[in-house]
Amino acid sequence: MKKKLVISSGAGISAESGIKTFRDAGGLWENYPVMDVASADGFARNPKLVHDFYNQRRRDLQKAEPNAAHKALVDLEKDFDVYVITQNVDDLHERAGSKNVLHLHGELMKIRSISDPDYIESLDIEHLETTPQTRGKNGDLMRPHIVFFQEAVPNIEKAAELAHEADIFVVIGTSLAVYPAASLLYYVRKGVPIYYIDPNPAATPDIPNLTVIPEIASKGLQTLVAKLRGEG
């Protein structure tokens, strides 16, 4: 029976594909104050700005391709039962071929009903643009399927379950500053090995069984794969 390998991925894994990281210098994202384009208040104040912002993010995503780090996780499925919990809203894990992906902060290529959060539709390359007047097939007004600041994270309980079930837990490309995602480390069972891949790793003095690999995602995963397969 394959061991359960649970991955928690952040912006660092997509940065190598040209996806700009969420938290930019000075609290700006693509020159916008983050709270204007990624908060519940911001959406209530100016829904057109938020729709336009995510339209541009979708256009940018079409130019991006999965990188070696995304592909390495797919390759690990040969030897492990791999589950990816991602803070990223892009679809690069899926496009690389990962079978089990749980999105904590929503999905860029989906929209959902403003009145019914469980009603979700997928977009495609021919239909990337939305506006405050966009309606779903059911007639509901739609919004980006993004978990804004000031909103609950619906998938955090499922993510915590996966972390608790892990035989090996890996954190890739995250500052460990965004909660509740950063709290997943504390759901890992005692004695389970934890690996943390990041070129600028956060201090983690209270995490037992932790191995820090201070490298970018693609290189760090090469190191990890060698360790997991007994080659390093």
Side-chain angles (χ1 to χ4, degrees):
M1 189 172 177
K2 291 179 179 178
K3 287 186 175 180
K4 192 165 200 169
L5 175 60
V6 178
I7 311 291
S8 176
S9 73
I13 197 168
S14 293
E16 292 178 66
S17 293
I19 302 291
K20 293 186 180 177
T21 56
F22 183 87
R23 288 172 179 265
D24 206 345
L28 297 179
W29 192 15
E30 298 288 343
N31 298 316
Y32 291 99
V34 168
M35 296 304 282
D36 283 357
V37 293
S39 74
D41 285 348
F43 185 67
R45 276 196 311 271
N46 192 342
K48 182 180 186 303
L49 174 66
V50 175
H51 276 276
D52 289 348
F53 180 79
Y54 287 101
N55 289 341
Q56 184 58 51
R57 301 285 70 71
R58 292 186 200 104
R59 289 192 290 268
D60 292 343
L61 179 56
Q62 302 316 305
K63 303 169 194 169
E65 296 291 339
N67 63 57
H70 296 104
K71 293 171 184 174
L73 296 181
V74 178
D75 188 57
L76 281 168
E77 292 185 11
K78 296 174 187 172
D79 304 307
F80 298 93
D81 192 11
V82 179
Y83 288 80
V84 178
I85 304 164
T86 187
Q87 298 175 50
N88 300 333
V89 297
D90 62 61
D91 59 357
L92 296 178
H93 282 299
E94 288 91 342
R95 281 161 55 189
S98 284
K99 294 186 181 70
N100 304 302
V101 183
L102 182 71
H103 286 266
L104 285 183
H105 296 158
E107 297 179 65
L108 198 50
M109 291 300 293
K110 292 182 179 180
I111 53 177
R112 75 170 183 261
S113 166
I114 287 176
S115 56
D116 177 7
D118 294 326
Y119 183 78
I120 299 165
E121 293 184 1
S122 295
L123 300 172
D124 58 45
I125 197 165
E126 302 297 326
H127 305 89
L128 296 176
E129 309 281 321
T130 63
T131 74
Q133 287 74 47
T134 295
R135 292 187 180 272
K137 295 182 178 69
N138 68 346
D140 285 1
L141 285 170
M142 305 295 279
R143 55 163 277 181
H145 183 42
I146 302 293
V147 177
F148 294 141
F149 286 109
Q150 304 161 328
E151 293 181 331
V153 179
N155 284 332
I156 193 62
E157 288 185 12
K158 177 60 177 171
E161 286 176 22
L162 286 172
H164 185 70
E165 294 166 358
D167 297 308
I168 303 166
F169 190 76
V170 184
V171 178
I172 306 173
T174 172
S175 63
L176 296 177
V178 179
Y179 282 82
S183 68
L184 293 176
L185 282 168
Y186 299 99
Y187 289 91
V188 178
R189 286 172 291 126
K190 187 176 180 180
V192 167
I194 300 173
Y195 296 90
Y196 177 23
I197 300 169
D198 195 272
N200 301 294
T204 50
D206 56 342
I207 305 294
N209 300 308
L210 176 70
T211 300
V212 177
I213 302 173
E215 298 171 336
I216 62 172
S218 57
K219 190 174 179 190
L221 267 164
Q222 283 184 343
T223 302
L224 176 66
V225 168
K227 286 179 181 294
L228 294 180
R229 289 181 171 156
E231 300 161 10

